[in-house]
Amino acid sequence: MKTRTTFSLNFASLLLMCGPLFLCQVSTGQLLTLTTVNCWSGLDYRGVTSMGEYESSEIRDRRLEILIEELTTQRPDIIALQEVNPVATISSKIAARLNYDCIYQRANSGIKIGSVGIPSNLNEGIAILARKGLHLEMFDVWDLSHSIGAFGNSFSFHFDEQNIALVGRVRIDGKLLYVINVHLSSEVPENSASRRKLNELLTERNSSKATIETRMAEFSESANNRLRQTQALADYLRKHLSGEPVIILGDFNAERTSDEIQLLESEDNYLDAAMTGGLTDAVTWDPENNENTRFSKDLRDPDQTSPLDELGRWYDSQSHRIDYILLSSLFGRDDVKRAALILDKPKGGLFASDHYGLLATVEVSYALMNVPAVSDSSLTS
């Protein structure tokens, strides 16, 4: 991505002649502060009539209050939340407390009509919140997993994890900016270290050569699932929002050097706001310090756990940055004014989530410069 040149020589000369008033006029811009947070459902995703819960409702409520207090302090213009459960109740509560607009989409809920069905405590989804003046509205929902079944706020019928992109849009000076919230699946990535570890786990169990080959093939197929979801996201972007100003936020469950992030950066010229803003070594999944991550590493029945489950525990014991704010090609590196972690310290001994939040302040004026303004009557979803 080329760094935008602020002034040419001729423009600088003109600026000196016109004086301070002109300087004030050309230097004003539109800054947006954005944040993404995986809220952590606190569920173990095991069960039929209900899912197992790792914590009491009192602790879960305390975590939510820590999240709301931090968002109240930061006052970001746009907020993307993942793993919100129950999504309608929690996202609406946060929006009311902040006095923000809100859109949400339930993704994982099993068999439900409305909120009634099984598992009784699973109504998880993703949400976008925005301050009132941005006129947030729903644009679309993209199914990235393409698995069998149906998901929705009114009805759902599925038995596998659903991975989606919630697409909203806001208006700035009458111009549309698209905001996309994603939550991708969390399979262990396939690389030399993970394959070596899986082979070690299988060998420890005295698995036959044929079994090892079969399990390795299964692992490879599973590990590519998230890349397929990212490819689906890229296809949707090219089909529906090519050439538009787009900001993608969310939990990608993918490392900085992963094929998923490289696909969006190299093929679609998306810019990693955190990296550009100086967070080169930051992690958002931090098992060394964040005690909430321990639940992902715990195996409830070690004797009945598959090598792939053990591989997942091994991978989750390592620190990574897996959360992102990505800017489309209309943005330049100079547009990223700030990047920071939030919710990366405990409050009263408790972390808000098993992820840290990511925040970025971005200049949007240049990205919107050649975008035509729209009237209310011309807006269609």
Side-chain angles (χ1 to χ4, degrees), residues 144-145 161 163 185 187 220-230 260:
L144 304 181
S145 52
E161 179 183 10
N163 299 99
S185 58
E187 291 88 359
S220 182
E221 175 67 17
S222 172
N224 285 320
N225 188 39
R226 187 170 50 249
L227 182 57
R228 288 191 289 268
Q229 293 168 10
T230 308
E260 293 88 336

Side-chain angles (χ1 to χ4, degrees), residues 33-39 66-81 98 249 274 279 282-286 290 321 323 325 338-346 351-361:
T33 297
L34 313 110
T35 193
T36 179
V37 183
N38 181 312
C39 300
I66 294 171
L67 171 63
I68 294 175
E69 289 171 10
E70 180 70 6
L71 294 176
T72 300
T73 299
Q74 297 291 341
R75 300 300 294 183
D77 298 291
I78 295 173
I79 303 165
L81 302 175
L98 295 175
L249 308 96
L279 292 181
V283 300
T284 55
W285 178 264
D286 183 14
N290 188 340
R321 177 160 72 89
D323 301 86
I325 298 173
R338 176 195 176 207
L341 294 177
I342 63 171
L343 300 165
D344 58 332
K345 300 292 188 298
F351 283 92
S353 174
D354 57 353
H355 288 237
Y356 300 151
L358 187 62
L359 179 144
T361 299

Side-chain angles (χ1 to χ4, degrees), residues 29-30 133-135 170-176 365 368 371-374:
Q30 177 70 57
L134 291 173
H135 310 289
V170 297
R171 275 178 282 166
I172 300 172
D173 295 331
K175 299 181 177 183
L176 296 177
S365 299
L368 294 174
V371 175
V374 296

Side-chain angles (χ1 to χ4, degrees), residues 107-125:
N108 293 297
S109 54
I111 304 173
K112 296 281 169 54
I113 297 177
S115 61
V116 178
I118 57 172
S120 59
N121 59 345
L122 181 64
N123 278 288
E124 180 190 305

Side-chain angles (χ1 to χ4, degrees), residues 61 64-65 68 88-98 129:
D61 289 344
L64 178 60
E65 283 302 312
I68 294 175
T89 302
I90 299 300
S91 57
S92 297
K93 178 178 181 177
I94 297 173
R97 292 276 292 274
L98 295 175
L129 288 72

